[in-house]
Amino acid sequence: MTDIRGTSREAVAVLRQQLQTVTGSPEQLRALGTELLSVVGLVDSQPTLRRALTNPSRSADDRAGLAANLFQNRLSTDALELVTAAVRLPWSRVRALGDALEEIGVLALVRSAEAERRLDDLEDGLFRFGRLVDREQRLQLALTDRAVPAEKRAELARTLLAGKAPDAAVRLVEQAVVAPRGLSLTEALDNYAKIAAAWRDRLVATVRTAVQLSTAEQDRLAGALSRQYGQDLHLNILVDPGVLGGLRIELGAEVIDGTIASRLDDARRRLAG
């Protein structure tokens, strides 16, 4: 089984289990996530190193020794152990190593938000920032223009999110801005949000509504959907006057459209037929 980037899930599961044994404060977990993402950047930027760390003709011990020699003075003990564990594993694609380390780095940041009891805030922050970028084309250009130094773009993201999202969410937005790894900015943010949701094994539903739902209404909707799908569920709420009343719910590839606009369109189709 593979994820959206094709990473071997069995190998990633090994690293996830190792990450779960890591203890520390939210600050330490954020630092761990940042370290792992920095390794991803190095591996992505150096094809020769990437091939050496994934070369199946070299023994697992040899690959781990290479990683240890390269990173022992740059990484914390926990980060180094995760990186050497990763290079010991077999990867079907050279790029898969970076994909796996990225996922584990994101999970370390997710765990830091969880430790602060702010995992919901992290998911909401990623979703809302992604939708803001979709809406504001000038902002999207400012954050993705490679002619602008990466640190300047990251600084803009930090400024926009200051006091509005957990530190882990801010770090993930920075990562998506600076190193989306072949994805668009919003695709990278959505990928991180999916990883966060999968961490606690729950679905994510995007709800489009003409008016803001109250907390009680959101709770009732989440409860009804959770019962229907037999799984815990997180709602991302979008207020969109274009729905003309009712709700449009997107859950993966499935769409539940109960808006007035959709019923009018259906009536027009029937009349035209």
Side-chain angles (χ1 to χ4, degrees):
M1 181 178 177
T2 58
D3 70 356
I4 61 173
R5 292 177 182 266
T7 303
S8 166
R9 300 312 303 168
E10 293 78 8
V12 171
V14 172
L15 298 177
R16 288 169 65 103
Q17 288 176 350
Q18 184 165 335
L19 176 63
Q20 286 180 300
T21 68
V22 176
T23 58
S25 66
E27 293 77 14
Q28 290 170 322
L29 290 168
R30 279 199 299 276
L32 173 61
T34 297
E35 287 180 287
L36 293 172
L37 292 175
S38 72
V39 173
V40 174
L42 182 63
V43 170
D44 281 349
S45 66
Q46 298 192 19
T48 301
L49 173 63
R50 186 166 66 244
R51 287 193 294 269
L53 292 175
T54 57
N55 189 344
S57 68
R58 305 178 70 163
S59 70
D61 286 344
D62 188 18
R63 297 194 302 269
L66 173 62
N69 288 334
L70 180 62
F71 295 115
Q72 62 184 347
N73 295 322
R74 305 184 186 188
L75 299 178
S76 64
T77 299
D78 287 331
L80 183 60
E81 288 179 352
L82 281 162
V83 171
T84 54
V87 300
R88 284 180 177 277
L89 295 167
W91 300 103
S92 59
R93 298 178 301 109
V94 172
R95 182 183 166 86
L97 172 64
D99 293 346
L101 288 173
E102 179 189 40
E103 180 168 335
I104 300 306
V106 171
L107 282 175
L109 289 161
V110 167
R111 282 194 57 197
S112 76
E114 184 178 47
E116 294 177 318
R117 301 180 184 275
R118 299 199 67 188
L119 192 45
D120 280 340
D121 293 337
L122 178 141
E123 292 182 68
D124 287 340
L126 295 178
F127 175 76
R128 294 186 185 285
F129 195 83
R131 303 296 79 75
L132 173 64
V133 170
D134 278 342
R135 271 195 325 270
E136 304 291 341
Q137 294 300 309
R138 291 178 62 185
L139 174 60
Q140 182 179 124
L141 179 61
L143 291 170
T144 58
D145 185 355
R146 294 305 175 94
V148 178
E151 179 50 38
K152 288 290 186 183
R153 288 183 279 124
E155 182 181 357
L156 174 58
R158 287 193 297 271
T159 300
L160 291 169
L161 287 168
K164 300 176 183 177
D167 290 340
V170 176
R171 179 64 190 85
L172 287 172
V173 170
E174 287 182 69
Q175 182 69 17
V177 166
V178 172
R181 305 188 69 240
L183 300 178
S184 71
L185 174 54
T186 52
E187 286 173 339
L189 293 172
D190 287 346
N191 188 46
Y192 299 158
K194 289 176 183 176
I195 291 172
W199 173 251
R200 50 181 169 184
D201 193 28
R202 68 177 185 174
L203 299 172
V204 177
T206 299
V207 180
R208 296 179 184 273
T209 172
V211 296
Q212 181 63 52
L213 301 180
S214 68
T215 300
E217 289 170 330
Q218 291 183 41
D219 289 344
R220 286 197 297 272
L221 178 58
L225 291 171
S226 294
R227 288 190 295 274
Q228 180 176 343
Y229 289 93
Q231 193 171 338
D232 188 21
L233 189 139
H234 176 73
L235 300 182
N236 286 327
I237 308 293
L238 279 177
V239 177
D240 180 3
V243 301
L244 299 179
L247 301 174
R248 177 184 170 89
I249 302 169
E250 301 166 12
L251 214 164
E254 186 172 353
V255 176
I256 304 170
D257 197 338
T259 64
I260 293 173
S262 71
R263 292 197 290 272
L264 288 173
D265 287 342
D266 183 58
R268 291 190 189 100
R269 285 192 296 269
R270 290 173 183 273
L271 289 171

